[in-house]
Amino acid sequence: TDRKKLHTAPVGQVFRLRPFHVLIATGGGYAGYRKYEDYKLEQLEKRGIEVPVKLASEWEVALYKSVPTRLLSRAWGRLNQVELPTWLRKPVYSLYIWTFGVNMKEAAVEDLHHYRNLSEFFRRKLKPQARPVCCVHSVISPSDGKILNFGQVKNCEVEQVKGVTYSLESFLGPRISTEEMHFSQAPPGNSFQQQLVTKEGNELYHCVIYLAPGDYHCFHSPTDWTVSHRRHFPGSLMSVNPGVARWIKELFCHNERVVLTGDWKHGFFSLTAVGATNVGSIRIYFDQDLHTNSPSYSKGSYNDFSFISNNNKEGIPMRKGEHLGEFNLGSTIVLIFEAPKDFKFNLKAGQKIRFGEALGSL
């Protein structure tokens, strides 16, 4: 009779599952499963076995999108800013170097104790002569990475990897007004692709470069050109590694991206920095108004910014090899540009490339 009564809650209240928790658990588990599948595909490719294309269904894409990658990427960004104790820096960075094969002998500062946090380590600069810029070819690689695909744009479709495409207009967005471009525009009745080609006899070309986590994270100007416009697409932050790019059609159109457009000596030129998981932060050095991976955004929206004003009639001139921007972790760069029909790429799909090496020329 002296014992106290034990009050218990109903079992249903103790084990109550909220929809958000279900999405996290289900989406996270499925993402892990996909990572394992990607690993198996990579092993088959290394053995020279051709892997058939198998695209994700709509429900699979929706399930993947249910993972809060934007929130996780912002959390990762904050974690990167945390200053590490001096004694912990070398073990942490050494593990990263070993995992992703980073070559620290190319870094301007090789001493690991110099980098106060992961963010500084990711954005490390290279020694001046580590990446000589090719002077012979007209277009160079803007970054270190792996060539996923390249070639002519056909039927308003661009290949993100072999056999998997995305819409050119969905990727770049509506055509920019003629007032913001320096060259005459094609008649509006033509297709979107034809409207971008401004000179008779030219073709539209593309090149996709994937930056792995161990690559140099800055990107540079691939040629001499003038940037006149920036378009920012808020969006998902799904992984962009080759396995996922092979699995999700129009992956680059789903993800957050920053499109820089302008012109070079042969006409239209664009460079797009595509965000990915843990790469919500995309920085363009001359664009202080750009803020990526914002907590609030409208799905399918985009915002434009023109670098042409009353005080600047020309836009932002960029020299080949000049610093342009940076990622916080590996991601993807897509070049889409106009050039004469005799333009030739000096590339092979799947090859590793470094910033400053030739992409192609006339």
Side-chain angles (χ1 to χ4, degrees):
T1 58
D2 293 333
R3 294 177 181 174
K4 295 181 179 179
K5 292 183 179 180
L6 178 64
H7 295 276
T8 58
V11 175
Q13 293 181 9
V14 176
F15 296 101
R16 181 180 298 168
L17 291 176
R18 301 178 184 276
F20 179 73
H21 298 155
V22 174
L23 289 175
I24 292 286
T26 308
Y30 192 74
Y33 166 75
R34 287 305 315 172
K35 285 288 186 181
Y36 174 69
E37 289 293 311
D38 295 340
Y39 171 77
K40 290 198 300 183
L41 290 176
E42 289 178 4
Q43 297 305 308
L44 290 174
E45 287 183 344
K46 288 180 179 179
R47 292 161 55 187
I49 301 175
E50 187 173 350
V51 181
V53 174
K54 183 181 179 182
L55 294 178
S57 61
E58 291 186 8
W59 72 265
E60 287 178 308
V61 176
L63 185 58
Y64 191 0
K65 282 187 171 182
S66 71
V67 181
T69 51
R70 294 179 62 85
L71 177 62
L72 293 173
S73 297
R74 285 194 295 273
W76 175 253
R78 292 185 179 182
L79 179 64
N80 288 349
Q81 299 293 334
V82 175
E83 185 169 344
L84 297 176
T86 305
W87 62 268
L88 188 58
R89 294 174 188 177
K90 189 172 182 178
V92 170
Y93 301 148
S94 296
L95 177 61
Y96 186 91
I97 290 169
W98 177 79
T99 303
F100 296 108
V102 179
N103 184 3
M104 284 302 293
K105 291 184 178 180
E106 297 177 332
V109 180
E110 296 184 40
D111 182 11
L112 298 180
H113 296 101
H114 169 80
Y115 303 100
R116 294 173 298 177
N117 52 47
L118 283 166
S119 181
E120 286 188 3
F121 179 72
F122 292 146
R123 295 181 287 106
R124 63 193 177 277
K125 304 302 180 184
L126 298 181
K127 293 174 181 175
Q129 301 304 319
R131 297 289 187 276
V133 175
C134 177
C135 299
V136 178
H137 294 78
S138 54
V139 183
I140 62 169
S141 176
S143 66
D144 289 6
K146 178 181 180 181
I147 301 296
L148 294 189
N149 216 300
F150 63 92
Q152 285 189 15
V153 177
K154 298 180 180 179
N155 301 320
C156 294
E157 292 279 328
V158 186
E159 281 194 320
Q160 58 192 28
V161 293
K162 185 178 180 180
V164 182
T165 63
Y166 56 92
S167 164
L168 179 65
E169 186 169 6
S170 298
F171 181 70
L172 295 178
R175 191 165 65 96
I176 301 166
S177 63
T178 56
E179 289 79 7
E180 298 184 30
M181 309 303 283
H182 296 163
F183 41 85
S184 60
Q185 297 289 312
N190 293 343
S191 69
F192 184 82
Q193 178 178 337
Q194 292 171 328
Q195 291 175 33
L196 295 181
V197 178
T198 62
K199 297 181 180 180
E200 188 176 353
N202 281 2
E203 298 287 348
L204 205 61
Y205 297 86
H206 74 99
C207 182
V208 183
I209 305 171
Y210 167 68
L211 288 75
D215 287 328
Y216 171 54
H217 288 60
C218 297
F219 51 92
H220 301 245
S221 176
T223 191
D224 295 335
W225 65 308
T226 301
V227 184
S228 56
H229 186 272
R230 179 259 291 162
R231 176 168 285 161
H232 172 216
F233 290 85
S236 301
L237 288 174
M238 295 184 284
S239 172
V240 292
N241 74 54
V244 177
R246 187 185 296 107
W247 180 55
I248 298 181
K249 183 179 174 64
E250 299 204 333
L251 171 64
F252 299 155
C253 297
H254 290 294
N255 272 17
E256 182 154 2
R257 60 198 182 278
V258 177
V259 182
L260 300 178
T261 54
D263 65 291
W264 70 319
K265 60 183 178 181
H266 299 297
F268 174 81
F269 199 96
S270 73
L271 180 148
T272 302
V274 182
T277 307
N278 295 334
V279 199
S281 175
I282 302 171
R283 182 184 174 193
I284 305 297
Y285 294 137
F286 56 75
D287 189 354
Q288 302 302 316
D289 296 321
L290 175 65
H291 300 286
T292 57
N293 197 11
S294 173
S296 59
Y297 76 101
S298 177
K299 184 178 180 181
S301 66
Y302 63 86
N303 56 77
D304 288 345
F305 183 86
S306 175
F307 298 110
I308 296 178
S309 63
N310 292 331
N311 297 326
N312 181 8
K313 301 289 186 180
E314 299 297 323
I316 308 295
M318 297 297 300
R319 303 293 296 176
K320 184 168 64 174
E322 186 177 352
H323 279 83
L324 183 55
E326 63 188 33
F327 295 109
N328 265 356
L329 201 62
S331 191
T332 298
I333 289 179
V334 180
L335 301 179
I336 298 175
F337 57 93
E338 173 185 359
K341 291 183 178 180
D342 56 352
F343 181 88
K344 300 294 182 183
F345 283 103
N346 301 316
L347 302 172
K348 292 182 180 179
Q351 79 171 68
K352 292 287 291 182
I353 197 166
R354 303 202 304 176
F355 155 61
E357 294 179 347
L359 285 185
S361 64
L362 298 171

